[in-house]
Amino acid sequence: MAQSKQSFMRGTLALSVAAFINRILGFISGMFVARVMGAEGIGILMMAHPLVPLVITITELGLPVAISKLVAEASARGERMRIRRILHVSLAVTGVLSVTLTTISLLGSHWIASLLLSDQRAYYAMLAITPIAPIVAVSAVLKGYFRGMQQMKTIAASDVLEHTVQIAIVLALVHLLMPYGVAYAAAGAMAASVVSEAISLLFLAVSYKAYGERKAPGETWGSHLKQGRSTLSELLKIGLPTTGHGAIQSVYGAFQPLLIATSLAMAGVSTALATKQFGLLAGYAFPLLFMPSFITQSLSTALVPAIGEAAANKNGLLMHERMNQALRLGLLIGAPATVILFVWATPLTTLIYGSPDAGLLLKILAPMFFLHYFDAPLHAILLGLGRASATLWNYVVATAFKAVSIFVFGSQFGIVGVAFAIGIGIVIQTLLNFFSISGSIGIYLSIQPYVKVGVCMSVMALGGRTAFDYLTVRGLPPLWSVIVSIAAALLLYFAALMLTATLRWRGSRPPISSKFG
């Protein structure tokens, strides 16, 4: 058991390092593409993308999670034949579904474009990204297999390879196609994603073959599929409940650009300007906001089994220790990230994207987005407690509220109102997940560390802003003014954490008086 946990921690670390590298690579790629294509081009990219997650969600049927669980169980029992059967059945299901849906999407592309795209220049980009669905679906099956075999380094390597190749091809195609127009450049950027995903799939397939899975005499695809009815039933029993959340998320993601464009049109914004403003929000502000969250996402992956094990053993103390550790990490990571994104909003978007206009949207979203760093751990805790339905309904309520808010505020206040509405949706979803956990097992919180971190955030913000203003007045170039002032602010933040003894806050269960729920 000790060896298994050690292997799990090494795998988690590998995924975290890969996620960090991918965030950096993706951020660099996004920065260059944004500078070449501009806000209007990024808006076209963002409009063309949402259909694909919906197709992928339907084709995957939540199978990657189910595959990893069933493969891990079969591997522990030494059932190699069963492992291959799980893989063959999953590949058959996802292969047929993905090819069918992709074919329908391509044949109905004009109708889909007229329904979903408020700017028809995004049609070619939508067409270019559509073939990615079967590739991603097969990759997801293989990644589920490697997770079940606890070969996380293979997944990490494939992800880094994919992002590295994607950057090279994106930069090449965008520069090559930009003279023909922004619509063709956007299509080239989407085509680069397809190629890089295909190379990642090739790496996974080669790794699978090299890993040593060998067929038994007389073993064929047909034999696995004929005897695979019970295996398919087991896969769907685990996978389907997770599909609902992803499907609703994908459907909303597909219609959100149209919803935003409609609300902006009601506010008197032209189609071209609305596309540009959507690009500022989705292509400039969101990547900066999501940048620090890879740590909490990696934590959430490990948190689900940790909470599930503690719940199965009825170890309430361990459950609350794990919860407090997760929320503490979200707090310590989210606090400085929020201060940086709020205080240096306009300088960051100006330096990175050459777009000071995006700074206002980033400044609006940053304070509300602070709760996002808690939402991923809270979501994982609910899954660990076996309350997947609660996460689904919380998401439905929050998304419905966000959609109405976007329509109301966007039509009244333009893109600023849209930004407020999206932030409100994040706040509502986080609070609903919090209260769901509180209603199930209670949440024991010591308020003191949160107050201390709030004080540290204030010190960081005031010191950092003062340093930035001073360096700017002294004539230091904008890049160095931002870098030096942020570094000074972070030093102040960590010094304040040390002085207030916040870093020594332990994840143990605090007194009953701090309980919520």
Side-chain angles (χ1 to χ4, degrees):
M1 181 64 71
Q3 184 179 0
S4 175
K5 288 186 177 180
Q6 187 180 20
S7 173
F8 171 75
M9 292 306 296
R10 284 200 302 266
T12 302
L13 178 62
L15 290 177
S16 298
V17 171
F20 175 72
I21 294 173
N22 292 338
R23 287 290 174 97
I24 297 297
L25 292 175
F27 189 74
I28 293 172
S29 174
M31 181 176 66
F32 279 103
V33 170
R35 282 185 170 274
V36 173
M37 295 180 59
E40 193 172 0
I42 295 299
I44 291 174
L45 277 176
M46 295 298 105
M47 286 183 177
H49 187 265
L51 174 66
V52 176
L54 175 60
V55 175
I56 292 173
T57 298
I58 296 174
T59 57
E60 287 184 356
L61 291 175
L63 292 183
V65 176
I67 292 165
S68 63
K69 179 180 184 300
L70 295 181
V71 165
E73 293 174 351
S75 177
R77 293 192 293 263
E79 299 174 349
R80 312 302 297 181
M81 177 80 77
R82 176 168 165 74
I83 291 175
R84 291 190 292 275
R85 182 168 299 152
I86 291 168
L87 204 56
H88 282 70
V89 171
S90 301
L91 287 171
V93 172
T94 56
V96 171
L97 278 176
S98 61
V99 170
T100 301
L101 289 176
T102 299
T103 302
I104 293 173
S105 299
L106 289 172
L107 293 176
S109 58
H110 285 288
W111 178 79
I112 294 171
S114 65
L115 180 66
L116 294 181
L117 303 181
S118 58
D119 191 329
Q120 292 303 305
R121 290 177 298 172
Y123 171 73
Y124 295 110
M126 185 192 76
L127 212 58
I129 193 65
T130 302
I132 203 173
I135 303 172
V136 172
V138 175
S139 293
V141 171
L142 291 176
K143 287 179 180 179
Y145 163 79
F146 282 115
R147 288 191 190 98
M149 301 301 293
Q150 298 193 24
Q151 294 295 316
M152 303 298 182
K153 291 181 181 178
T154 303
I155 301 173
S158 72
D159 289 343
V160 172
L161 174 64
E162 175 192 339
H163 281 77
T164 303
V165 172
Q166 184 178 5
I167 284 183
I169 300 177
V170 162
L171 296 181
L173 288 180
V174 168
H175 279 287
L176 184 66
L177 296 174
M178 193 63 191
Y180 298 96
V182 69
Y184 290 99
M190 290 301 200
S193 299
V194 178
V195 176
S196 61
E197 189 70 47
I199 292 175
S200 174
L201 172 58
L202 179 62
F203 174 82
L204 289 170
V206 171
S207 299
Y208 170 73
K209 192 168 184 179
Y211 190 64
E213 289 292 341
R214 297 288 182 264
K215 290 183 179 181
E219 184 180 342
T220 63
W221 271 83
S223 64
H224 282 303
L225 296 180
K226 286 178 182 178
Q227 303 173 38
R229 181 174 296 180
S230 61
T231 301
L232 177 61
S233 178
E234 287 183 82
L235 287 167
L236 295 179
K237 185 177 180 181
I238 301 170
L240 284 179
T242 64
T243 305
H245 185 282
I248 295 173
Q249 189 174 21
S250 299
V251 169
Y252 174 75
F255 281 95
Q256 179 173 272
L258 184 61
L259 176 64
I260 292 175
T262 302
S263 66
L264 292 179
M266 294 182 67
V269 180
S270 66
T271 300
L273 182 57
T275 301
K276 180 180 179 180
Q277 290 182 341
F278 181 69
L280 292 176
L281 180 65
Y284 292 179
F286 280 172
L288 287 170
L289 290 164
F290 282 105
M291 184 71 179
S293 63
F294 74 93
I295 298 177
T296 53
Q297 292 292 339
S298 299
L299 169 71
S300 300
T301 302
L303 195 58
V304 174
I307 293 294
E309 182 183 9
N313 294 329
K314 299 183 179 179
N315 191 338
L317 180 60
L318 181 60
M319 266 195 295
H320 287 92
E321 286 177 353
R322 294 288 181 263
M323 265 194 290
N324 285 335
Q325 288 168 354
L327 294 176
R328 175 181 64 177
L329 185 60
L331 176 67
L332 295 179
I333 296 299
T338 299
V339 171
I340 290 171
L341 295 174
F342 180 80
V343 175
W344 287 271
T346 300
L348 284 173
T349 58
T350 302
L351 285 171
I352 296 171
Y353 303 115
S355 176
D357 293 341
L360 175 61
L361 302 179
L362 183 59
K363 188 180 284 286
I364 290 170
L365 279 165
M368 292 181 284
F369 207 84
F370 179 45
L371 288 182
H372 172 76
Y373 303 109
F374 299 95
D375 185 56
L378 291 173
H379 180 86
I381 291 167
L382 281 172
L383 292 177
L385 293 172
R387 296 203 59 197
S389 59
T391 65
L392 172 61
W393 287 112
N394 290 346
Y395 178 77
V396 169
V397 172
T399 301
F401 198 95
K402 178 170 63 175
V404 173
S405 300
I406 286 175
F407 185 77
V408 173
F409 293 142
S411 61
Q412 294 296 318
F413 306 106
I415 194 64
V416 171
V418 171
F420 268 113
I422 292 174
I424 290 171
I426 292 170
V427 172
I428 291 174
Q429 182 171 329
T430 305
L431 291 178
L432 287 174
N433 284 338
F434 178 89
F435 288 122
S436 292
I437 296 171
S438 179
S440 293
I441 58 173
I443 293 183
Y444 296 86
L445 290 178
S446 178
I447 302 300
Q448 187 180 25
Y450 292 85
V451 174
K452 287 182 178 180
V453 171
V455 173
C456 296
M457 290 174 69
S458 301
V459 171
M460 177 184 175
L462 290 173
R465 187 69 213 186
T466 301
F468 177 74
D469 291 341
Y470 174 77
L471 294 172
T472 302
V473 170
R474 299 289 293 182
L476 202 67
L479 175 62
W480 287 107
S481 295
V482 170
I483 292 175
V484 173
S485 59
I486 288 179
L490 287 171
L491 286 174
L492 277 175
Y493 174 70
F494 286 110
L497 289 178
M498 297 295 291
L499 288 173
T500 56
T502 307
L503 283 179
R504 292 198 296 270
W505 168 41
R506 299 186 180 276
S508 58
R509 170 176 163 174
I512 296 295
S513 58
S514 302
K515 178 185 175 184
F516 290 83

